[in-house]
Amino acid sequence: MSSVYDTVEPSVVDEEMLQKAVEEQGPQGQAGRIARDEGVQYHEVCQLCLDYRNILKIDHLWQFTSLTKLQLDNNIIEKIEGLERLTNLVWLDLSFNKIEVIEGLDTLVKLEDLSLYHNRISIIENMDSLQKLHVLSLGNNLLRDLDNVVYLRKFKNLRTLNLAGNPLCKESNYKVFIAAHFPELVYLDFRILDKQTREEALSKYQVVINDMRKEDLLELKALDVKRRDEEELQLHKDAFVEFLNGPYLFESMYADDTEAVKLAYLPGFSLTLLLTFQSQMVALCMQVFEMGLEQHHRRKAEVSCFFECSLEAVRENQQKATELVAAFESCRREVSLTFAQCRDLENNHNERLQEIAVAALDKAAANELEEDMPEGEQLPFFDKDTVMNAVSASHDIHLLKIDKREDELVTRINSWMTVLMKSIQDAEGKRNRKRISEIHHYIDYVKTQLDEVTLHRTL
């Protein structure tokens, strides 16, 4: 797979190369001169061709965030890299290079057409995120394992596949194997998969096809469950109350509480006490959770209503915004009150724990303890400072967890409100600027008409 470029000095994608390419491929004539005078805006470029430049390393493309088409064919690229920020890419050509491993494509989730033709690839891998892939060319590589091609079955939109020129194509059942495993494929190696090949595939691989259909069905069900779970979690996140619909906060309070295990051995401490505390804490968390979901649905309706109204009257929108802010402030205060109840509940629990600890210490001092402590815990544990410090440390950890969760919820609520208000202000500012621009254009037009009238009168 050598080429004439092997004798030319390798190059790296740098600023000079990019600017030259953008200028060459951008607007020409007067439009091109204006673009050069104003400066090249890489983030606005949608297509870029960097072929036949003896490029060894892909670099400096992070600013081209609007790129939908990128040509890097006919270079000497050895590694796919530097494409992470090009998340809008739909078409990518890396053919005629020296790439050995498929990698660095994880963020290109919009990619539909990918060419890796004429490289040194021996394994099809690392493409899981390319779910929109429609056309894939892997011809003239080093692919030997026909079973490895089955990896591509995960791409449900794949309709065109080129594998010509790979060692695996020499397998006697190559074409039939592909037809059996890819029933939705239309073109294979630049030719339409004919009816005869499909019928032969169905006959030869009937058992395999039935198994694949069962696997596909199970996979679809699993994906559906996963999708529903993700949608539900996202709903909870949008409402800022994820993991508040259960014992998650309570469990996190005790996860970092190293003193809780020791305090559980205090005479008078019971499992009932802990379970009651847990039950009450979970109930309060559920209260916040349900309140958050309710407010989220109300918030969505109000925001939707707000933006619909903005098309009718700015004055009405401003009133809606005021109501939305007031409603949000009310919700925020209600959430704060509920978390205050969580703190009160923890304080009451701590006071009860202190009473138990003091009583246990008094009994220990009078040698009146009836319950045996675990071996090795009695003497150091019944030191007054040790016991009370343990109670205090446990209490501090619990309060910290509650405060942290409340701060997180309130911070995200405030952030959402800030972003919302800014978007409203920006939209209003944009509308005003557009209106002002229209007025200026109209004034200029009227001035021009007046000037023409004055000129005619003078003549």
Side-chain angles (χ1 to χ4, degrees):
M1 295 186 182
S2 60
S3 69
V4 294
Y5 297 100
D6 293 339
T7 61
V8 183
E9 186 69 23
S11 62
V12 177
V13 178
D14 56 19
E15 183 68 22
E16 182 181 354
M17 179 188 294
L18 291 173
Q19 187 165 352
K20 182 178 179 181
V22 171
E23 290 178 357
E24 290 175 350
Q25 298 161 35
Q28 303 299 313
Q30 183 177 359
R33 287 193 295 272
I34 293 174
R36 286 191 292 275
D37 291 341
E38 294 180 351
V40 178
Q41 303 296 320
Y42 290 160
H43 67 276
E44 296 178 356
V45 177
C46 294
Q47 298 186 16
L48 183 63
C49 181
L50 297 173
D51 57 352
Y52 295 98
R53 296 172 192 263
N54 216 47
I55 296 171
L56 176 64
K57 180 181 173 63
I58 306 172
D59 204 355
H60 291 93
L61 292 177
W62 58 272
Q63 298 180 71
F64 291 81
T65 52
S66 296
L67 270 187
T68 58
K69 182 176 182 179
L70 175 61
Q71 287 181 246
L72 287 165
D73 57 284
N74 289 281
N75 287 291
I76 54 173
I77 297 169
E78 297 179 347
K79 183 177 181 180
I80 305 175
E81 59 185 337
L83 304 177
E84 295 81 8
R85 298 288 296 276
L86 310 187
T87 55
N88 288 304
L89 271 185
V90 175
W91 193 95
L92 175 61
D93 189 352
L94 286 164
S95 60
F96 293 96
N97 280 288
K98 297 183 177 182
I99 298 167
E100 296 183 358
V101 178
I102 301 176
E103 59 185 337
L105 302 173
D106 294 344
T107 61
L108 310 186
V109 296
K110 296 182 180 180
L111 204 60
E112 296 179 7
D113 192 317
L114 172 63
S115 178
L116 290 166
Y117 183 83
H118 203 93
N119 277 281
R120 300 173 177 176
I121 298 166
S122 58
I123 300 177
I124 304 174
E125 59 183 345
N126 302 325
M127 299 170 60
D128 293 23
S129 62
L130 309 185
Q131 292 299 314
K132 293 188 176 182
L133 206 58
H134 189 89
V135 178
L136 176 62
S137 179
L138 286 167
N140 274 25
N141 276 280
L142 304 176
L143 301 172
R144 299 180 181 278
D145 186 3
L146 198 53
D147 288 333
N148 180 219
V149 182
V150 178
Y151 171 87
L152 299 175
R153 274 180 46 77
K154 65 183 64 184
F155 305 123
K156 306 304 181 184
N157 296 314
L158 189 63
R159 297 295 180 269
T160 301
L161 177 62
N162 175 30
L163 297 169
N166 282 286
L168 57 78
C169 295
K170 297 178 181 179
E171 297 282 346
S172 59
N173 62 332
Y174 161 67
K175 193 173 181 180
V176 177
F177 180 92
I178 298 297
H181 286 80
F182 297 87
E184 301 300 326
L185 198 64
V186 178
Y187 296 95
L188 175 63
D189 301 339
F190 308 110
R191 294 185 178 183
I192 293 179
L193 275 173
D194 55 78
K195 183 179 179 181
Q196 180 180 350
T197 302
R198 294 187 186 278
E199 290 176 350
E200 184 181 351
L202 183 61
S203 174
K204 188 172 183 178
Y205 290 93
Q206 182 65 56
V207 176
V208 175
I209 292 173
N210 289 339
D211 289 342
M212 286 191 306
R213 287 173 177 171
K214 291 178 182 178
E215 290 177 4
D216 289 344
L217 184 60
L218 291 174
E219 182 182 350
L220 286 174
K221 289 181 178 179
L223 288 174
D224 188 49
V225 171
K226 181 181 178 183
R227 177 185 56 78
R228 289 200 301 268
D229 290 344
E230 290 175 348
E231 289 177 351
E232 183 178 33
L233 179 58
Q234 188 58 52
L235 172 63
H236 298 172
K237 287 183 177 180
D238 291 342
F240 319 122
V241 292
E242 70 274 15
F243 305 120
L244 282 177
N245 57 329
Y248 308 107
L249 177 58
F250 179 85
E251 290 172 354
S252 71
M253 289 162 54
Y254 278 87
D256 299 328
D257 184 3
T258 57
E259 305 296 340
V261 176
K262 297 178 181 178
L263 293 172
Y265 289 114
L266 282 171
F269 184 92
S270 65
L271 181 61
T272 302
L273 176 67
L274 185 62
L275 292 177
T276 300
F277 178 37
Q278 179 185 19
S279 175
Q280 293 172 334
M281 181 63 72
V282 170
L284 287 175
C285 287
M286 284 300 301
Q287 185 177 336
V288 174
F289 175 78
E290 291 169 0
M291 186 192 312
L293 287 182
E294 179 184 353
Q295 289 298 322
H296 171 66
H297 294 308
R298 182 182 303 174
R299 185 165 69 244
K300 283 186 65 177
E302 289 174 342
V303 172
S304 176
C305 177
F306 172 79
F307 282 111
E308 289 175 3
C309 290
S310 67
L311 300 175
E312 300 174 5
V314 173
R315 186 182 306 171
E316 291 180 7
N317 287 346
Q318 292 172 339
Q319 180 62 32
K320 286 288 182 180
T322 302
E323 293 174 0
L324 181 61
V325 171
F328 230 81
E329 288 298 321
S330 175
C331 171
R332 184 164 52 187
R333 285 193 296 270
E334 192 172 352
V335 168
S336 296
L337 288 174
T338 306
F339 272 102
Q341 288 181 284
C342 288
R343 278 187 286 273
D344 290 340
L345 183 59
E346 164 60 25
N347 289 332
N348 293 335
H349 177 74
N350 181 65
E351 289 174 4
R352 177 64 179 138
L353 200 56
Q354 285 180 333
E355 293 173 0
I356 291 173
V358 170
L361 287 169
D362 291 342
K363 288 183 179 181
N367 293 320
E368 297 177 352
L369 285 177
E370 297 178 359
E371 303 179 42
D372 293 331
M373 294 288 290
E375 185 176 353
E377 295 288 345
Q378 293 91 339
L379 293 178
F381 187 77
F382 282 106
D383 173 73
K384 181 177 181 180
D385 291 338
T386 301
V387 173
M388 300 313 294
N389 286 340
V391 173
S392 178
S394 177
H395 181 51
D396 290 342
I397 289 173
H398 296 182
L399 288 178
L400 181 63
K401 289 288 183 178
I402 295 171
D403 292 344
K404 182 179 179 181
R405 191 60 182 86
E406 180 185 15
D407 290 343
E408 179 187 348
L409 190 149
V410 172
T411 299
R412 289 166 63 187
I413 288 175
N414 290 338
S415 176
W416 181 88
M417 177 59 72
T418 300
V419 171
L420 174 64
M421 297 309 296
K422 186 177 185 305
S423 67
I424 294 171
Q425 292 169 356
D426 290 345
E428 184 65 12
K430 184 177 181 180
R431 190 188 68 82
N432 289 337
R433 286 193 297 272
K434 183 178 179 181
R435 182 57 180 158
I436 291 171
S437 176
E438 292 172 349
I439 293 172
H440 283 313
H441 285 309
Y442 179 73
I443 292 174
D444 291 339
Y445 170 79
V446 172
K447 285 183 178 179
T448 302
Q449 294 298 313
L450 288 174
D451 289 341
E452 290 181 358
V453 171
T454 303
L455 179 61
H456 283 301
R457 286 180 176 176
T458 302
L459 295 175

